[in-house]
Amino acid sequence: MDSIRENRTKEDILAEIRMERAADIYDEKCFILVEGSDDALFTNKMFQDNVICLESFAGKSGLMELIAEDAALSDNVIGIRDKDYADESSLPERIFLYDHCCLEMMMLSEPAVAESFFHIYYKGTIPCNAFIANAMRQLSSYSILRRKNEKESLKINFRKVNFGDLVDFSNESLDDRALFQRAGKSETYDSCRQEAESLDDTDLWEITNGHDICTFLGRLSKNGKTDMSETGVRNVLLVSHRKDDFAKTNLFQSILSYQQQKHLTFLESSGQRTIS
Protein backbone atom coordinates (compact mmCIF):
# COMPACT_ATOMS: atom_id res chain seq x y z
CA MET A 1 0.00 0.00 0.00
CA ASP A 2 1.21 3.50 -0.77
CA SER A 3 2.03 6.02 1.95
CA ILE A 4 -0.69 7.56 4.10
CA ARG A 5 -1.67 11.13 3.31
CA GLU A 6 -3.01 13.08 6.28
CA ASN A 7 -3.43 16.57 7.74
CA ARG A 8 -4.44 18.12 4.42
CA THR A 9 -7.16 20.48 3.33
CA LYS A 10 -10.05 19.42 1.14
CA GLU A 11 -8.42 20.92 -1.94
CA ASP A 12 -5.08 19.29 -1.08
CA ILE A 13 -6.75 15.88 -1.07
CA LEU A 14 -8.62 16.47 -4.33
CA ALA A 15 -5.42 17.75 -5.95
CA GLU A 16 -3.64 14.59 -4.79
CA ILE A 17 -6.28 12.43 -6.44
CA ARG A 18 -6.08 14.40 -9.70
CA MET A 19 -2.28 14.25 -9.76
CA GLU A 20 -2.09 10.52 -9.00
CA ARG A 21 -4.74 9.65 -11.57
CA ALA A 22 -3.04 11.76 -14.24
CA ALA A 23 0.28 9.98 -13.61
CA ASP A 24 -1.29 6.52 -13.52
CA ILE A 25 -0.60 5.56 -17.15
CA TYR A 26 -1.42 1.89 -16.55
CA ASP A 27 -4.65 2.72 -14.70
CA GLU A 28 -3.64 0.66 -11.65
CA LYS A 29 -4.07 3.05 -8.74
CA CYS A 30 -7.02 2.85 -6.37
CA PHE A 31 -7.94 5.31 -3.63
CA ILE A 32 -9.55 4.86 -0.23
CA LEU A 33 -10.88 7.84 1.70
CA VAL A 34 -11.05 7.30 5.47
CA GLU A 35 -12.21 9.27 8.51
CA GLY A 36 -9.05 9.51 10.60
CA SER A 37 -5.51 8.37 11.35
CA ASP A 38 -6.52 5.08 13.02
CA ASP A 39 -8.57 4.16 9.96
CA ALA A 40 -5.57 5.02 7.80
CA LEU A 41 -3.34 2.71 9.84
CA PHE A 42 -5.85 -0.11 9.48
CA THR A 43 -6.26 0.48 5.75
CA ASN A 44 -2.51 0.68 5.21
CA LYS A 45 -2.15 -2.74 6.83
CA MET A 46 -4.97 -4.53 5.02
CA PHE A 47 -5.00 -3.33 1.41
CA GLN A 48 -2.81 -3.80 -1.66
CA ASP A 49 0.30 -1.78 -2.58
CA ASN A 50 -1.48 0.02 -5.42
CA VAL A 51 -3.97 1.58 -2.99
CA ILE A 52 -3.48 5.16 -1.83
CA CYS A 53 -5.13 6.02 1.50
CA LEU A 54 -6.29 9.58 2.01
CA GLU A 55 -7.38 10.79 5.43
CA SER A 56 -10.38 13.11 5.48
CA PHE A 57 -9.88 16.77 6.26
CA ALA A 58 -12.89 16.70 8.64
CA GLY A 59 -13.70 13.18 9.76
CA LYS A 60 -16.89 11.52 8.58
CA SER A 61 -18.51 14.70 7.25
CA GLY A 62 -15.37 15.56 5.28
CA LEU A 63 -15.24 12.05 3.82
CA MET A 64 -18.82 12.37 2.60
CA GLU A 65 -17.99 15.72 1.00
CA LEU A 66 -14.93 14.33 -0.74
CA ILE A 67 -16.63 11.29 -2.23
CA ALA A 68 -19.15 13.57 -3.98
CA GLU A 69 -16.53 15.84 -5.59
CA ASP A 70 -15.85 15.59 -9.35
CA ALA A 71 -12.22 14.56 -8.79
CA ALA A 72 -13.40 11.58 -6.75
CA LEU A 73 -16.28 10.52 -9.02
CA SER A 74 -14.62 7.35 -10.21
CA ASP A 75 -15.07 3.65 -9.49
CA ASN A 76 -11.50 3.44 -8.22
CA VAL A 77 -12.18 5.98 -5.43
CA ILE A 78 -14.08 4.56 -2.46
CA GLY A 79 -14.66 5.56 1.15
CA ILE A 80 -14.65 3.49 4.33
CA ARG A 81 -16.35 4.87 7.43
CA ASP A 82 -17.94 3.91 10.73
CA LYS A 83 -21.54 2.87 10.42
CA ASP A 84 -22.46 4.63 13.66
CA TYR A 85 -26.17 5.30 13.30
CA ALA A 86 -26.40 5.97 9.57
CA ASP A 87 -29.22 4.90 7.29
CA GLU A 88 -27.27 2.50 5.09
CA SER A 89 -29.78 2.73 2.25
CA SER A 90 -29.05 6.46 1.87
CA LEU A 91 -25.29 6.05 1.36
CA PRO A 92 -23.57 6.13 -2.06
CA GLU A 93 -22.46 2.85 -3.64
CA ARG A 94 -18.81 3.76 -3.14
CA ILE A 95 -19.13 4.18 0.63
CA PHE A 96 -18.35 1.03 2.62
CA LEU A 97 -19.02 0.46 6.32
CA TYR A 98 -17.11 -1.36 9.02
CA ASP A 99 -18.93 -4.34 10.47
CA HIS A 100 -21.03 -3.41 13.51
CA CYS A 101 -20.89 0.19 14.75
CA CYS A 102 -17.29 1.09 13.94
CA LEU A 103 -13.71 -0.05 13.36
CA GLU A 104 -13.08 -0.92 17.01
CA MET A 105 -16.23 -3.03 17.32
CA MET A 106 -15.40 -4.84 14.09
CA MET A 107 -11.95 -5.74 15.40
CA LEU A 108 -13.30 -6.86 18.79
CA SER A 109 -15.91 -9.07 17.10
CA GLU A 110 -13.10 -11.36 15.93
CA PRO A 111 -12.83 -13.94 18.77
CA ALA A 112 -9.06 -14.34 18.40
CA VAL A 113 -8.54 -10.58 18.84
CA ALA A 114 -10.84 -10.34 21.88
CA GLU A 115 -9.32 -13.44 23.49
CA SER A 116 -5.79 -12.17 22.98
CA PHE A 117 -6.67 -8.84 24.60
CA PHE A 118 -8.38 -10.63 27.49
CA HIS A 119 -5.46 -12.93 28.29
CA ILE A 120 -2.68 -10.36 27.94
CA TYR A 121 -4.12 -7.03 29.09
CA TYR A 122 -7.49 -7.36 30.83
CA LYS A 123 -7.25 -7.42 34.65
CA GLY A 124 -10.93 -7.70 35.57
CA THR A 125 -12.73 -10.76 36.89
CA ILE A 126 -15.48 -11.24 34.30
CA PRO A 127 -14.76 -14.31 32.12
CA CYS A 128 -13.48 -14.11 28.57
CA ASN A 129 -16.82 -14.98 26.99
CA ALA A 130 -18.57 -12.08 28.76
CA PHE A 131 -16.16 -9.18 29.30
CA ILE A 132 -16.98 -7.44 26.00
CA ALA A 133 -20.72 -7.90 26.58
CA ASN A 134 -20.38 -6.37 30.04
CA ALA A 135 -18.53 -3.37 28.62
CA MET A 136 -21.22 -2.82 25.99
CA ARG A 137 -23.99 -3.20 28.58
CA GLN A 138 -22.37 -0.71 30.96
CA LEU A 139 -22.12 1.79 28.09
CA SER A 140 -25.59 1.09 26.68
CA SER A 141 -27.41 4.15 28.06
CA TYR A 142 -24.63 6.40 26.81
CA SER A 143 -24.74 4.64 23.44
CA ILE A 144 -28.43 5.48 23.22
CA LEU A 145 -27.57 9.11 23.95
CA ARG A 146 -25.01 9.07 21.15
CA ARG A 147 -27.62 7.73 18.75
CA LYS A 148 -30.13 10.38 19.84
CA ASN A 149 -27.47 13.02 19.35
CA GLU A 150 -27.01 12.02 15.73
CA LYS A 151 -30.65 11.37 14.91
CA GLU A 152 -32.01 14.47 16.66
CA SER A 153 -29.03 16.83 16.10
CA LEU A 154 -28.57 17.52 19.83
CA LYS A 155 -25.06 18.89 19.16
CA ILE A 156 -23.43 17.24 22.18
CA ASN A 157 -19.64 17.52 22.00
CA PHE A 158 -18.70 14.02 23.17
CA ARG A 159 -15.00 14.69 22.67
CA LYS A 160 -15.06 16.95 25.72
CA VAL A 161 -16.81 14.36 27.91
CA ASN A 162 -14.16 12.20 29.58
CA PHE A 163 -15.41 9.37 31.77
CA GLY A 164 -12.50 7.08 32.62
CA ASP A 165 -12.71 8.14 36.24
CA LEU A 166 -16.35 7.03 36.36
CA VAL A 167 -15.42 3.38 35.72
CA ASP A 168 -15.32 1.39 38.98
CA PHE A 169 -12.62 -1.27 38.72
CA SER A 170 -13.90 -3.21 41.74
CA ASN A 171 -17.19 -4.20 40.12
CA GLU A 172 -16.40 -3.32 36.48
CA SER A 173 -19.26 -0.86 36.22
CA LEU A 174 -19.84 2.66 34.92
CA ASP A 175 -21.56 5.46 36.82
CA ASP A 176 -23.65 6.36 33.79
CA ARG A 177 -25.92 8.76 35.68
CA ALA A 178 -22.88 10.88 36.53
CA LEU A 179 -21.76 10.56 32.92
CA PHE A 180 -25.05 12.03 31.69
CA GLN A 181 -24.59 14.90 34.15
CA ARG A 182 -21.12 15.49 32.75
CA ALA A 183 -22.54 15.54 29.22
CA GLY A 184 -25.15 18.10 30.30
CA LYS A 185 -28.04 15.74 29.54
CA SER A 186 -29.25 14.58 32.95
CA GLU A 187 -32.86 15.07 31.90
CA THR A 188 -32.53 12.34 29.25
CA TYR A 189 -30.95 9.73 31.52
CA ASP A 190 -34.08 7.86 32.59
CA SER A 191 -35.48 7.55 29.05
CA CYS A 192 -32.11 6.45 27.63
CA ARG A 193 -31.68 3.95 30.45
CA GLN A 194 -35.10 2.50 29.83
CA GLU A 195 -34.47 2.21 26.10
CA ALA A 196 -31.09 0.59 26.71
CA GLU A 197 -32.65 -2.11 28.88
CA SER A 198 -34.56 -3.41 25.85
CA LEU A 199 -31.38 -3.99 23.82
CA ASP A 200 -29.97 -7.48 23.38
CA ASP A 201 -26.29 -8.26 22.74
CA THR A 202 -26.76 -8.15 18.97
CA ASP A 203 -28.15 -4.62 19.26
CA LEU A 204 -25.25 -3.55 21.46
CA TRP A 205 -22.68 -4.51 18.81
CA GLU A 206 -24.44 -2.12 16.42
CA ILE A 207 -24.67 0.83 18.79
CA THR A 208 -21.51 0.86 20.95
CA ASN A 209 -19.04 3.60 20.09
CA GLY A 210 -15.37 2.72 19.58
CA HIS A 211 -13.97 5.55 21.70
CA ASP A 212 -16.24 4.55 24.55
CA ILE A 213 -15.45 0.84 24.63
CA CYS A 214 -11.71 1.51 24.36
CA THR A 215 -11.94 3.96 27.27
CA PHE A 216 -13.93 1.51 29.39
CA LEU A 217 -11.66 -1.47 28.67
CA GLY A 218 -8.59 0.68 29.24
CA ARG A 219 -9.66 1.34 32.83
CA LEU A 220 -9.80 -2.42 33.47
CA SER A 221 -6.54 -3.30 31.70
CA LYS A 222 -2.80 -2.87 32.04
CA ASN A 223 0.15 -3.06 29.68
CA GLY A 224 2.65 -4.60 32.06
CA LYS A 225 2.28 -2.46 35.18
CA THR A 226 1.01 0.58 33.28
CA ASP A 227 -2.65 1.57 33.02
CA MET A 228 -3.97 1.53 29.48
CA SER A 229 -5.47 4.55 27.73
CA GLU A 230 -8.16 4.60 25.07
CA THR A 231 -5.41 4.96 22.47
CA GLY A 232 -3.44 2.10 24.00
CA VAL A 233 -6.40 -0.27 23.72
CA ARG A 234 -7.05 0.73 20.12
CA ASN A 235 -3.40 0.28 19.18
CA VAL A 236 -3.45 -3.26 20.58
CA LEU A 237 -6.52 -4.06 18.49
CA LEU A 238 -4.91 -2.63 15.36
CA VAL A 239 -1.83 -4.78 15.87
CA SER A 240 -3.81 -7.92 16.76
CA HIS A 241 -6.26 -7.81 13.84
CA ARG A 242 -4.68 -9.75 10.96
CA LYS A 243 -5.42 -9.95 7.26
CA ASP A 244 -6.94 -13.38 7.84
CA ASP A 245 -9.30 -11.82 10.39
CA PHE A 246 -10.22 -9.04 7.99
CA ALA A 247 -11.03 -11.59 5.28
CA LYS A 248 -13.85 -12.91 7.52
CA THR A 249 -15.63 -9.55 7.69
CA ASN A 250 -18.61 -8.30 5.73
CA LEU A 251 -16.57 -5.21 4.83
CA PHE A 252 -13.93 -7.34 3.12
CA GLN A 253 -16.55 -9.27 1.20
CA SER A 254 -18.36 -6.09 0.12
CA ILE A 255 -15.19 -4.51 -1.26
CA LEU A 256 -14.12 -7.80 -2.85
CA SER A 257 -17.46 -8.05 -4.65
CA TYR A 258 -17.18 -4.40 -5.74
CA GLN A 259 -13.66 -4.81 -7.12
CA GLN A 260 -14.71 -7.88 -9.10
CA GLN A 261 -17.64 -6.00 -10.61
CA LYS A 262 -15.49 -2.97 -11.48
CA HIS A 263 -12.32 -4.90 -12.46
CA LEU A 264 -10.21 -3.14 -9.86
CA THR A 265 -7.69 -4.27 -7.25
CA PHE A 266 -8.11 -3.13 -3.66
CA LEU A 267 -7.69 -6.53 -1.97
CA GLU A 268 -6.04 -9.88 -2.47
CA SER A 269 -8.80 -12.04 -3.90
CA SER A 270 -7.17 -15.14 -2.40
CA GLY A 271 -8.80 -14.14 0.87
CA GLN A 272 -12.27 -14.79 -0.50
CA ARG A 273 -14.49 -16.99 1.66
CA THR A 274 -17.52 -18.97 0.62
CA ILE A 275 -20.84 -17.43 1.56
CA SER A 276 -23.60 -19.97 2.06
Side-chain angles (χ1 to χ4, degrees):
M1 174 137 186
D2 209 339
S3 58
I4 297 170
R5 275 74 163 177
E6 57 182 335
N7 298 324
R8 298 188 177 191
T9 66
K10 179 179 179 178
E11 189 48 49
D12 287 339
I13 296 167
L14 295 173
E16 177 80 13
I17 295 173
R18 294 187 195 99
M19 181 184 71
E20 292 285 357
R21 291 181 66 187
D24 184 19
I25 58 175
Y26 297 110
D27 200 25
E28 295 176 337
K29 295 287 186 182
C30 290
F31 303 83
I32 299 179
L33 306 173
V34 298
E35 291 186 52
S37 57
D38 298 316
D39 307 282
L41 289 170
F42 180 84
T43 304
N44 186 46
K45 180 179 178 180
M46 299 299 174
F47 288 83
Q48 292 286 78
D49 290 341
N50 63 300
V51 176
I52 296 173
C53 180
L54 297 160
E55 183 182 335
S56 168
F57 66 96
K60 189 186 298 96
S61 61
L63 189 159
M64 299 306 292
E65 283 186 40
L66 286 166
I67 204 74
E69 289 288 337
D70 288 345
L73 289 178
S74 173
D75 289 339
N76 68 341
V77 183
I78 65 172
I80 300 176
R81 52 160 282 185
D82 292 341
K83 178 164 42 176
D84 290 331
Y85 317 107
D87 176 4
E88 296 179 51
S89 65
S90 67
L91 297 174
E93 178 194 20
R94 293 179 297 116
I95 290 291
F96 295 85
L97 303 174
Y98 294 118
D99 292 25
H100 307 301
C101 189
C102 55
L103 171 61
E104 294 87 348
M105 298 308 295
M106 184 181 80
M107 292 190 291
L108 281 167
S109 70
E110 168 53 44
V113 173
E115 289 169 14
S116 175
F117 185 89
F118 175 87
H119 290 297
I120 298 173
Y121 302 101
Y122 179 72
K123 303 306 176 186
T125 59
I126 293 175
C128 183
N129 64 355
F131 83 111
I132 298 297
N134 175 66
M136 295 190 298
R137 181 61 61 187
Q138 292 296 321
L139 291 163
S140 58
S141 299
Y142 198 52
S143 299
I144 292 291
L145 181 62
R146 280 187 175 274
R147 185 170 68 181
K148 285 182 178 292
N149 184 63
E150 183 159 323
K151 297 293 186 182
E152 301 173 16
S153 300
L154 300 180
K155 298 182 179 179
I156 303 169
N157 188 348
F158 288 101
R159 291 185 178 183
K160 292 186 177 181
V161 185
N162 300 314
F163 66 85
D165 60 311
L166 299 178
V167 178
D168 186 339
F169 183 88
S170 65
N171 59 11
E172 301 178 55
S173 65
L174 172 67
D175 186 348
D176 54 355
R177 186 180 292 275
L179 178 53
F180 272 67
Q181 292 175 345
R182 195 168 288 182
K185 289 295 176 181
S186 297
E187 74 280 2
T188 67
Y189 174 75
D190 290 335
S191 62
C192 288
R193 182 71 176 174
Q194 183 176 4
E195 188 173 346
E197 288 173 354
S198 69
L199 301 176
D200 60 22
D201 285 356
T202 300
D203 298 325
L204 293 174
W205 281 100
E206 305 306 320
I207 198 174
T208 305
N209 176 269
H211 296 285
D212 296 344
I213 200 160
C214 287
T215 296
F216 186 89
L217 291 177
R219 293 292 293 176
L220 304 176
S221 306
K222 289 184 181 294
N223 188 352
K225 296 182 179 181
T226 305
D227 292 340
M228 294 189 74
S229 64
E230 173 197 334
T231 300
V233 172
R234 185 179 296 103
N235 286 344
V236 167
L237 301 181
L238 286 166
V239 170
S240 301
H241 198 89
R242 306 163 304 162
K243 283 189 175 183
D244 287 347
D245 300 323
F246 184 43
K248 301 175 187 176
T249 65
N250 293 327
L251 173 59
F252 181 99
Q253 292 300 315
S254 295
I255 296 177
L256 187 64
S257 176
Y258 177 85
Q259 77 174 22
Q260 290 169 346
Q261 293 171 15
K262 306 297 184 180
H263 306 290
L264 299 166
T265 303
F266 288 93
L267 295 161
E268 292 182 40
S269 58
S270 60
Q272 186 171 4
R273 61 182 167 97
T274 301
I275 302 175
S276 56

